Amino acid sequence: MVSLVLLLVVSLAAVVGVGYWIDTRLHRTAVLADYPDRPAPGQGTTWLLVGSDSRSDLSPQQQTDLATGGDVGNGRTDTIMLVHVPGFGSSTPTSMVSIPRDSYVEIPGHGSDKINAAFAFGGGPLLAQTVEQATGVRLDHYAEIGFAGFAEVVDALGGVTMCPAEPVSDPLAGIDLPAGCQKLDGRNALGYVRTRATPRADLDRMVNQRRFMSALLHRAASPAVWLNPLRWYPLAAGTTDALTVDEGAHVWDLARLAWALRGSTVTATVPIGEFSDGDSGSVVVWNHDLAAKLFAAMASDSPLPPDALVDQP
């Protein structure tokens, strides 16, 4: 009995120690700031997840290896997602809502433009404020990952299995994937979540991104990873090196997010009213009535309204 107690104590100390080590390695930045007329705090916890397409931290060889193309300036965002984790005791499922990167919205101080331009104009802080004002949802946390970090995390896991229903060939994204289940390494996974070489282009890409996120988290939480130090150590080190989070985020917040996304989630794309052309090029105009219902439900920790759910995987 004594030996069992000692084993539990040692195991708990190891878990706490690893958690502390991971927490001290997180890259934090001031992203979520107060400003006049900021949305009021909601119920539950809402994250803004961002995938940056900046090549600034990639060497020419990495750009070639990952098939990212050359420098595109300050960088915009390839992925913008809101994830709402319900409060403790709530029966509402976790929700994951993709925001089209070409959404035409008001960007504070810059007029109307595509939402991903906010990241180029002012980085994470301006993007976060733009998302809050466009949705009316107050953000509790922020997490951002770049091209290289994404690929490194996938490789640290030993790959992630995806099952595309149709072949996906996209020279621009550097992939030529057959239909059916297959394990994607970091390079192919990056191409898979970036490609628009599908019948519905960006709409399919957002569905693929949500599916990949779910598959990645299932893989990360599997015993094959966490019972193998050769997997979990590179994963922990790679994740902390790759992620940038808000100043208030800690490893336990990330763990709760990952655990919530492992289970049953409701997924959607912001309801779209129309595709249009203007000074900003081809843009996506939201169905503002349905979008307002969706975001109001998210802020109040209520189930997302069925008529606002589109593109569920």
Side-chain angles (χ1 to χ4, degrees):
M1 179 65 71
V2 173
S3 60
L4 178 59
V5 171
L6 288 175
L7 178 61
L8 290 174
V9 170
V10 170
S11 299
L12 179 61
V15 170
V16 171
V18 170
Y20 176 78
W21 172 73
I22 294 174
D23 194 63
T24 59
R25 286 173 55 93
L26 285 173
H27 300 289
R28 295 184 174 90
T29 187
V31 178
L32 306 177
D34 284 327
Y35 54 87
D37 299 322
R38 187 182 183 193
Q43 300 179 45
T45 302
T46 301
W47 285 79
L48 176 62
L49 305 185
V50 175
S52 166
D53 72 357
S54 173
R55 281 78 159 169
S56 62
D57 61 342
L58 298 180
S59 68
Q61 185 60 51
Q62 286 177 309
Q63 292 178 19
T64 299
D65 292 343
L66 297 176
T68 65
D71 183 24
V72 292
N74 294 331
R76 296 199 175 193
T77 47
D78 247 23
T79 305
I80 307 173
M81 281 187 204
L82 286 178
V83 176
H84 182 77
V85 180
F88 291 107
S90 172
S91 60
T92 301
T94 299
S95 57
M96 189 186 325
V97 177
S98 298
I99 298 177
R101 64 178 192 166
D102 292 337
S103 296
Y104 195 61
V105 299
E106 186 73 19
I107 299 176
H110 296 273
S112 295
D113 207 332
K114 295 179 180 180
I115 195 168
N116 68 350
F119 191 83
F121 294 149
L126 184 59
L127 177 63
Q129 183 179 354
T130 300
V131 169
E132 285 189 335
Q133 294 196 336
T135 64
V137 176
R138 187 184 183 109
L139 301 175
D140 300 292
H141 289 298
Y142 172 94
E144 174 193 323
I145 192 168
F147 281 162
F150 177 89
E152 289 168 4
V153 169
V154 173
D155 285 336
L157 285 170
V160 174
T161 298
M162 296 301 296
C163 302
E166 302 291 338
V168 183
S169 180
D170 184 356
L172 293 178
I175 56 172
D176 188 9
L177 306 177
C181 295
Q182 57 207 284
K183 183 170 286 189
L184 304 183
D185 61 10
R187 181 185 187 279
N188 282 318
L190 181 61
Y192 178 75
V193 299
R194 291 181 59 223
T195 184
R196 289 183 287 177
T198 56
R200 301 188 310 155
D202 269 338
L203 295 181
D204 286 332
R205 176 163 69 169
M206 288 183 287
V207 173
N208 289 341
Q209 289 170 348
R210 295 195 300 266
R211 287 175 173 165
F212 188 87
M213 173 77 74
S214 178
L216 182 146
L217 291 172
H218 273 83
R219 172 66 176 161
S222 68
V225 172
W226 286 108
L227 294 180
N228 182 356
L230 298 179
R231 287 286 180 223
W232 69 254
Y233 177 80
L235 174 63
T239 300
T240 53
D241 287 341
L243 275 182
T244 297
V245 297
D246 64 277
E247 291 181 313
H250 292 278
V251 65
W252 46 88
D253 298 307
L254 291 168
R256 184 174 175 232
L257 171 67
W259 187 258
L261 287 173
R262 283 189 72 253
S264 176
T265 60
V266 176
T267 64
T269 298
V270 176
I272 295 171
E274 64 175 336
F275 298 91
S276 183
D277 292 304
D279 293 339
S280 300
S282 298
V283 299
V284 174
V285 179
W286 295 353
N287 180 324
H288 292 288
D289 290 339
L290 288 179
K293 290 174 61 177
L294 183 148
F295 293 129
M298 180 177 284
S300 63
D301 217 3
S302 303
L304 301 188
D307 57 346
L309 300 182
V310 295
D311 288 327
Q312 295 193 63

